[in-house]
Amino acid sequence: MIDLRSDTVTEPCDRMREAMATAQVGDDVLGADPTVKQLEEFTAEILGKEAALYMPSGTMTNQVAIRLHTQPGDEIVMEENSHTYYYESGGPAALSGVMCQLIKGDRGLFTAEQLTAALRPKNLHFAPTKLLVLENTHNRGGGKIWPIDQLQSVTNTARNANLRTHLDGARLWNASAATGIPEKEYAKHFDTISVCFSKGLGAPVGSALAGSAEMIDRARRFRKMFGGGMRQAGIIAAGAIFALQNNRPKLKADHKNAKLLAEGLTGLKGIDIDPAAVETNIVFFNTTDPAAELVEKMNQKEILMLALGENSIRAVTNLMVTKEMTNQAIETIRSICQ
Ligand SMILES: *Cc1c(COP(=O)(O)O)cnc(C)c1O
């Protein structure tokens, strides 16, 4: 199988399993798991923040951040295709009681002018706008990277309007691997950042929320409230530490394979793809025939991708897909599309 459905399909290698099996653990709800602490400190250091908090999923880190920065009845601003709005089960409404104002972006990006237009004047008729959420890289934007200047101008505008700022950085690692801009250079523009260990980094479980010590202290209570307090979580945290140390440098290979795949599919009958749009590990392309049909034909030849629209397919390169496998996938799709 060549599994290109997502970068979440990665499984721990033997060395990662070994690190997990031998991890020192304790009850993390009582603050006594040294491996979780080590992961949190390591993550905070990479992101240039005072503290970080380990959680079971990226959905939880984003939703805890929203709860942390808002009160029920507040409004938060984000892009219409952002994961936090699109893929998190209505969490902002259900868990924090906030309204979402959505900005129409271009592959997930928007401008400071668009944010300014979205801000509401102080007036008792309006829900107070309290939080800006950005996503880098942008998942539904096809792994698009926020140019650092544009990110800075949008977050400056938010700060000048007294908004808090949160970055959904599930794939911030990919942005840094692609641009060479360190994670902390992106993170410094935000109050809180969430990062995933279980995507391209290949750990089995978990995400972290980073920010000031005071914010992370408050976030710890909301994590408990949302059911995310874990006990001997050092077992899974050890996988995340291993992933940061050993797999973070490998993300560049995923990006190369994504480019290779996009170039290999260019010009095939029934496929419309722009390889120049591929910046990281996510490849989107359009199909003339129904996407589900082509995906089914690929499945029969042991290549897995996701049909994300009537005529749209997503492929995500990952740790378990080598250059050889990518070439093999291209050859197979060529034979299907003849
Ligand atoms: C995957 C992802 C998340 C979190 O997903 P979980 O499955 O809840 O860990 C958050 N944001 C983005 C952009 C993602 O791609």
Side-chain angles (χ1 to χ4, degrees), residues 57-59 62 83 88 135 139 168 170-171 196 199:
S57 72
T59 298
N62 284 332
H83 192 282
E88 297 187 10
E135 184 175 319
N139 182 340
D168 177 353
R171 293 191 184 80
C196 281
K199 300 251 160 98

Side-chain angles (χ1 to χ4, degrees), residues 13-203:
C13 63
D14 290 343
R15 283 173 56 226
M16 184 186 282
R17 285 175 191 267
E18 172 77 21
M20 295 171 72
T22 54
Q24 275 188 31
V25 296
D27 187 336
D28 185 53
V29 174
L30 302 181
D33 190 304
T35 308
V36 170
K37 282 214 172 93
Q38 189 192 337
L39 171 65
E40 291 174 344
E41 280 163 20
F42 191 14
T43 306
E45 185 191 313
I46 294 171
L47 296 173
K49 296 291 180 192
E50 284 174 357
L53 187 62
Y54 188 44
M55 301 194 210
S57 72
T59 298
M60 189 181 283
T61 49
N62 284 332
Q63 295 303 324
V64 163
I66 292 171
R67 183 67 187 81
L68 171 70
H69 295 305
T70 62
Q71 293 295 322
D74 287 347
E75 184 171 72
I76 70 176
V77 180
M78 54 196 166
E79 197 270 334
E80 63 179 357
N81 277 305
S82 58
H83 192 282
T84 305
Y85 175 75
Y86 199 93
Y87 284 131
E88 297 187 10
S89 289
L95 302 173
S96 297
V98 293
M99 311 240 296
C100 296
Q101 192 185 160
L102 304 177
I103 294 181
K104 200 169 185 51
D106 177 13
R107 295 189 62 203
L109 274 52
F110 52 88
T111 62
E113 289 70 33
Q114 282 178 286
L115 174 59
T116 302
L119 297 171
R120 299 187 191 277
K122 207 166 147 63
N123 178 312
L124 63 82
H125 292 87
F126 300 135
T129 317
K130 288 290 178 62
L131 175 67
L132 169 73
V133 179
L134 300 189
E135 184 175 319
N136 191 27
T137 68
H138 200 287
N139 182 340
R140 285 179 61 81
K144 178 84 184 159
I145 301 167
W146 271 85
I148 193 90
D149 293 348
Q150 189 173 348
L151 180 142
Q152 189 169 347
S153 85
V154 169
T155 51
N156 278 348
T157 302
R159 202 162 302 106
N160 290 339
N162 285 321
L163 266 59
R164 293 272 187 95
T165 51
H166 171 70
L167 176 65
D168 177 353
R171 293 191 184 80
L172 184 61
W173 320 116
N174 294 86
S176 290
T179 61
I181 298 170
E183 287 85 354
K184 60 174 73 160
E185 286 301 310
Y186 289 107
K188 74 180 185 192
H189 300 290
F190 297 89
D191 293 302
T192 53
I193 303 101
S194 93
V195 288
C196 281
F197 306 115
S198 62
K199 300 251 160 98
L201 293 189

